[in-house]
Amino acid sequence: MSQRETWATRTGFILAAVGSAVGLGNIWRFPFQTSANGGAAFLVVYLAAVLLIGIPVILAEFAIGRRANVDAVKAFRNLDKPNWRFVGAIGILASFWTLSYYSVVGGWVTRYIAGSVTGNALAAPESYFGAVSAGVPAVITHAIFIAVTIGIVAFGIERGIELATKFMVPSIVVLLVILAGFAATLPGAGEGYAFFLSPDFGVVAENWQSILPAAFGQALFSLSLGFSVMITYASYLGSDDSLYADGLAIAITNTFVGVLAGLVVMPLLFAQGVPPGEGGAGAVFIAIPTALAELPGGGLVGQVIGVVFFAVVFIAALSSAISLLEAVVAYAVDTFGIARAPAAVGLGIAGFLLGIPSALDTAWLDWFDGLGVTLFLPLAVLAVVVFVGWIMGGEAVDELRRGSSLGVGPAWLWSLRTFVLVVVLVVVALNFNDLFLTPETGYYIVPAPLQ
Ligand code: TRP
C-alpha cells in the first residue's frame, strides 16, 4: 500500500485549518453580530466561548484525527469503536451538504470581482444582485467556483491544499490590513468603529439568554467544527507537535480576521451613510457595493477597492470550500480506495448538482443553510463531544500528550464530559426549538419553496 499523504510543514497544517475557519462567517456575520450585541462586550463573551467551547472541541477533533490517521469514518474503526462511525459520517454529510450551497455563494463572489472591474456591480447594487444571485447566471458561476475547488483538492494535501492555502491565508490578512488602512482614512470611520466595538455590557447583561448561545454557536461554526473537517485535516499530521498550540493559533487568527473584517466593513458603511443592516448576503452584496459606489474619485476608487474586497471574500470562501470537499474526498480515498483525482472530480460534480436548487432560487439556499447549520452541525459536535469525552477518554488525553508536556489533558477531558457537553446540549435544544417548534420565527423543516 502506498504511503498516506501528510502535510509538509506544521505551518501548512495550521494555515489550511485557518483557511477553513476563515470564511464568509468572519466577514458577513461576525462583525454584525458583534455590533448588535454590545460591541467589545460581546467580544469578551465570544472570546470566552472560543476558549471554553471552541478550543476544547477543536482539540477533540484533532485527537480523533491524528490518532486514527485516516478519513473521518474509518477513523472510528482504527480507534476500535466501529459503531461510532456515524459520528464522522454526520460530519462528512454536513460537509457535502454545505459545499453544495457554499459554492453557490462563492460563485456570486466570483461574479462580483468581475462586476467590480466593469463597475456594473456598483452601478445598481440591488438589481445587480437580483440578476446574478439566482437562475442560470448563478448556476454558471457556481460551476466555475466548484471547478476551482476541485482543481486544488485534486492535487492533494501537500501540492494542492497546503500550497494553495500557504498563499491564500496570508493574502487574506495582508489585503484586509490594506483595506482597513484605507477605510481608516474615510470621514466617518470613527463612527463606524464606535458602532462596531464600543462596549455595552448592559446589552449583554440584559439579553444573556440569547447572546450566550449565539456566541457559543458562532464559536463552533466559525472554527468549522462538527463537519469532520478538523478530524480530516489532523489525520494528515505526520509529526507530533503540540495540538494545544496549533488549536490556539488557529482560534486566535480566526478571531483576529473577524475583527479585522469589522474594521473594514463598518467604517466603509458609516462613511457613506449606508445603514449597516444585519449582515449576511445583503451586507456584502448590496450595502458594501452601495457604499463603494459613493467613494470619492469618480467611481474608479470604488471599483479598485471593490475588486480587492471581493478578492478577499473569494479567497476566504475558496479556502473553506476546499476543506469541505477534502473531508468528503478523504472518505472516498481512504474508505473505498478510489484515487484522489477522480474522487475530487466525481464528488465535486455531485456537489455541484446538489447545489443547483440553491443556485436557481435563494429560498432553497436558505433552507440548505438552515438545516446544515441548525441541525447537522450541533448534532455532529454533540456526537464528537460524547465520543471523545466518554468513549475515547484517556486515549484522547494520551494523544494530546504526544508533542506537548502541558498537563491540562485531564482537565480538558473533564470539561468535555461536563461543561462542554451541557453547553452543546443547550445549543442543540435551542436549535431544535427553532427547527421544529417555531416555524414563524425560526428555520422551518419544510423548505419554503414547497410550503
Ligand atoms: N467557518 C466558516 C466561516 O466562518 C464556515 C464553516 C462552518 C465552514 N463549517 C465549515 C467552512 C466547515 C468549511 C468547513 O465562514
Side-chain angles (χ1 to χ4, degrees), residues 20-26 95 98 102 218 220-225 227 229 254 319-321 323-324 377:
S20 174
V22 169
L24 294 165
N26 299 62
S95 277
T98 304
Y102 212 82
Q218 173 67 9
L220 294 172
F221 177 77
S222 189
L223 286 171
S224 300
L225 298 170
F227 286 71
V229 163
N254 181 50
S319 55
S320 294
S323 72
L324 292 168
L377 181 153

Short mmCIF file of all heavy atoms in Angstrom, two decimals, residues 20-26 95 98 102 218 220-225 227 229 254 319-321 323-324 377, ligand 1:
data_model
loop_
_atom_site.label_atom_id
_atom_site.label_comp_id
_atom_site.label_asym_id
_atom_site.label_seq_id
_atom_site.Cartn_x
_atom_site.Cartn_y
_atom_site.Cartn_z
N SER A 20 -9.88 27.08 6.44
CA SER A 20 -11.22 26.53 6.61
C SER A 20 -12.05 27.40 7.54
O SER A 20 -13.21 27.73 7.25
CB SER A 20 -11.12 25.11 7.18
OG SER A 20 -12.40 24.61 7.46
N ALA A 21 -11.44 27.79 8.64
CA ALA A 21 -12.19 28.56 9.65
C ALA A 21 -12.57 29.95 9.16
O ALA A 21 -13.68 30.43 9.38
CB ALA A 21 -11.36 28.66 10.93
N VAL A 22 -11.63 30.60 8.50
CA VAL A 22 -11.91 31.95 8.00
C VAL A 22 -12.75 31.84 6.73
O VAL A 22 -12.30 31.30 5.73
CB VAL A 22 -10.59 32.70 7.69
CG1 VAL A 22 -10.88 33.98 6.94
CG2 VAL A 22 -9.85 32.99 8.98
N GLY A 23 -13.97 32.31 6.81
CA GLY A 23 -14.86 32.19 5.66
C GLY A 23 -15.86 33.32 5.65
O GLY A 23 -15.65 34.37 6.29
N LEU A 24 -16.95 33.09 4.96
CA LEU A 24 -17.99 34.11 4.88
C LEU A 24 -18.45 34.54 6.27
O LEU A 24 -18.76 35.70 6.50
CB LEU A 24 -19.18 33.56 4.10
CG LEU A 24 -18.90 33.27 2.63
CD1 LEU A 24 -19.99 32.41 2.03
CD2 LEU A 24 -18.77 34.59 1.86
N GLY A 25 -18.46 33.59 7.21
CA GLY A 25 -18.92 33.88 8.56
C GLY A 25 -18.12 35.01 9.22
O GLY A 25 -18.68 35.83 9.94
N ASN A 26 -16.81 35.04 8.95
CA ASN A 26 -15.97 36.08 9.56
C ASN A 26 -16.30 37.45 8.98
O ASN A 26 -16.08 38.47 9.63
CB ASN A 26 -14.50 35.81 9.29
CG ASN A 26 -14.05 34.50 9.89
OD1 ASN A 26 -14.56 33.45 9.52
ND2 ASN A 26 -13.13 34.55 10.82
N SER A 95 -20.54 18.32 5.52
CA SER A 95 -19.59 18.98 4.63
C SER A 95 -20.09 18.96 3.19
O SER A 95 -20.05 19.97 2.49
CB SER A 95 -18.22 18.28 4.69
OG SER A 95 -17.50 18.75 5.79
N THR A 98 -23.06 21.28 2.84
CA THR A 98 -22.68 22.69 2.91
C THR A 98 -21.93 23.12 1.65
O THR A 98 -22.14 24.22 1.13
CB THR A 98 -21.81 22.94 4.16
OG1 THR A 98 -22.54 22.50 5.30
CG2 THR A 98 -21.48 24.41 4.31
N TYR A 102 -22.49 26.55 -0.38
CA TYR A 102 -21.35 27.46 -0.16
C TYR A 102 -20.75 27.85 -1.51
O TYR A 102 -20.36 29.00 -1.73
CB TYR A 102 -20.31 26.75 0.70
CG TYR A 102 -19.52 27.64 1.63
CD1 TYR A 102 -20.03 28.02 2.86
CD2 TYR A 102 -18.24 28.10 1.28
CE1 TYR A 102 -19.31 28.82 3.73
CE2 TYR A 102 -17.52 28.90 2.15
CZ TYR A 102 -18.06 29.26 3.36
OH TYR A 102 -17.34 30.05 4.22
N GLN A 218 -21.67 30.53 17.37
CA GLN A 218 -20.79 31.15 16.39
C GLN A 218 -19.35 30.66 16.58
O GLN A 218 -18.62 30.47 15.60
CB GLN A 218 -20.86 32.67 16.49
CG GLN A 218 -19.85 33.45 15.63
CD GLN A 218 -20.08 33.30 14.13
OE1 GLN A 218 -21.09 32.74 13.68
NE2 GLN A 218 -19.14 33.78 13.33
N LEU A 220 -18.40 27.70 17.51
CA LEU A 220 -18.32 26.37 16.90
C LEU A 220 -18.32 26.47 15.38
O LEU A 220 -17.51 25.87 14.69
CB LEU A 220 -19.50 25.51 17.35
CG LEU A 220 -19.55 25.13 18.83
CD1 LEU A 220 -20.88 24.45 19.16
CD2 LEU A 220 -18.40 24.19 19.17
N PHE A 221 -19.25 27.26 14.85
CA PHE A 221 -19.39 27.39 13.40
C PHE A 221 -18.15 28.01 12.80
O PHE A 221 -17.63 27.56 11.78
CB PHE A 221 -20.62 28.26 13.09
CG PHE A 221 -20.81 28.53 11.63
CD1 PHE A 221 -21.35 27.56 10.79
CD2 PHE A 221 -20.45 29.74 11.07
CE1 PHE A 221 -21.53 27.80 9.44
CE2 PHE A 221 -20.62 29.99 9.72
CZ PHE A 221 -21.16 29.02 8.90
N SER A 222 -17.66 29.06 13.46
CA SER A 222 -16.55 29.80 12.89
C SER A 222 -15.27 28.98 12.86
O SER A 222 -14.43 29.19 11.99
CB SER A 222 -16.34 31.08 13.69
OG SER A 222 -15.42 31.90 13.03
N LEU A 223 -15.14 28.04 13.77
CA LEU A 223 -13.94 27.19 13.75
C LEU A 223 -14.17 25.93 12.90
O LEU A 223 -13.38 25.00 12.94
CB LEU A 223 -13.54 26.82 15.18
CG LEU A 223 -12.89 27.97 15.97
CD1 LEU A 223 -12.72 27.60 17.44
CD2 LEU A 223 -11.54 28.34 15.37
N SER A 224 -15.25 25.93 12.13
CA SER A 224 -15.54 24.81 11.23
C SER A 224 -15.66 23.48 11.96
O SER A 224 -15.24 22.44 11.46
CB SER A 224 -14.46 24.67 10.14
OG SER A 224 -14.38 25.83 9.37
N LEU A 225 -16.24 23.52 13.16
CA LEU A 225 -16.34 22.28 13.93
C LEU A 225 -17.62 21.53 13.60
O LEU A 225 -18.60 22.11 13.17
CB LEU A 225 -16.28 22.62 15.43
CG LEU A 225 -14.94 23.28 15.79
CD1 LEU A 225 -14.94 23.84 17.20
CD2 LEU A 225 -13.80 22.29 15.60
N PHE A 227 -17.92 19.30 11.22
CA PHE A 227 -18.00 18.97 9.80
C PHE A 227 -16.99 17.89 9.41
O PHE A 227 -16.76 17.65 8.24
CB PHE A 227 -17.77 20.21 8.94
CG PHE A 227 -18.92 21.17 8.93
CD1 PHE A 227 -19.24 21.93 10.05
CD2 PHE A 227 -19.71 21.34 7.79
CE1 PHE A 227 -20.29 22.82 10.04
CE2 PHE A 227 -20.77 22.23 7.78
CZ PHE A 227 -21.06 22.97 8.90
N VAL A 229 -14.12 18.20 9.26
CA VAL A 229 -13.02 18.85 8.55
C VAL A 229 -11.75 18.84 9.40
O VAL A 229 -10.67 18.49 8.92
CB VAL A 229 -13.41 20.30 8.18
CG1 VAL A 229 -12.19 21.12 7.84
CG2 VAL A 229 -14.39 20.30 7.02
N ASN A 254 -8.28 33.20 13.57
CA ASN A 254 -9.66 33.27 13.09
C ASN A 254 -10.41 34.46 13.70
O ASN A 254 -11.09 35.21 12.99
CB ASN A 254 -10.37 31.96 13.42
CG ASN A 254 -11.80 31.93 12.93
OD1 ASN A 254 -12.07 32.23 11.78
ND2 ASN A 254 -12.72 31.60 13.81
N SER A 319 -10.96 28.88 0.37
CA SER A 319 -10.18 28.05 1.30
C SER A 319 -11.10 27.28 2.25
O SER A 319 -10.70 26.25 2.80
CB SER A 319 -9.15 28.89 2.07
OG SER A 319 -9.78 29.96 2.72
N SER A 320 -12.32 27.76 2.45
CA SER A 320 -13.30 27.00 3.23
C SER A 320 -13.89 25.87 2.38
O SER A 320 -14.04 24.74 2.85
CB SER A 320 -14.42 27.90 3.73
OG SER A 320 -13.93 28.83 4.65
N ALA A 321 -14.22 26.19 1.12
CA ALA A 321 -14.81 25.18 0.24
C ALA A 321 -13.84 24.01 0.02
O ALA A 321 -14.26 22.85 -0.04
CB ALA A 321 -15.19 25.81 -1.10
N SER A 323 -11.79 22.78 2.13
CA SER A 323 -11.83 21.87 3.28
C SER A 323 -13.10 21.04 3.29
O SER A 323 -13.10 19.88 3.72
CB SER A 323 -11.67 22.65 4.59
OG SER A 323 -12.83 23.39 4.89
N LEU A 324 -14.20 21.63 2.81
CA LEU A 324 -15.46 20.89 2.75
C LEU A 324 -15.33 19.73 1.78
O LEU A 324 -15.75 18.60 2.06
CB LEU A 324 -16.60 21.82 2.32
CG LEU A 324 -17.00 22.91 3.32
CD1 LEU A 324 -17.91 23.94 2.67
CD2 LEU A 324 -17.67 22.30 4.53
N LEU A 377 -24.80 20.52 12.18
CA LEU A 377 -23.63 20.99 12.91
C LEU A 377 -23.70 20.69 14.41
O LEU A 377 -22.83 20.03 14.96
CB LEU A 377 -23.39 22.48 12.65
CG LEU A 377 -22.20 23.13 13.33
CD1 LEU A 377 -21.73 24.32 12.51
CD2 LEU A 377 -22.49 23.58 14.74
N1 TRP B 1 -16.01 28.62 9.38
C1 TRP B 1 -16.64 29.05 8.16
C2 TRP B 1 -16.95 30.54 8.22
O1 TRP B 1 -16.77 31.17 9.23
C3 TRP B 1 -17.91 28.36 7.86
C4 TRP B 1 -17.87 26.91 8.07
C5 TRP B 1 -18.55 26.24 9.00
C6 TRP B 1 -17.09 26.00 7.39
N2 TRP B 1 -18.24 24.94 8.94
C7 TRP B 1 -17.32 24.76 7.95
C8 TRP B 1 -16.20 26.11 6.35
C9 TRP B 1 -16.69 23.63 7.53
C10 TRP B 1 -15.55 24.99 5.93
C11 TRP B 1 -15.79 23.78 6.53
O2 TRP B 1 -17.40 31.07 7.23
#
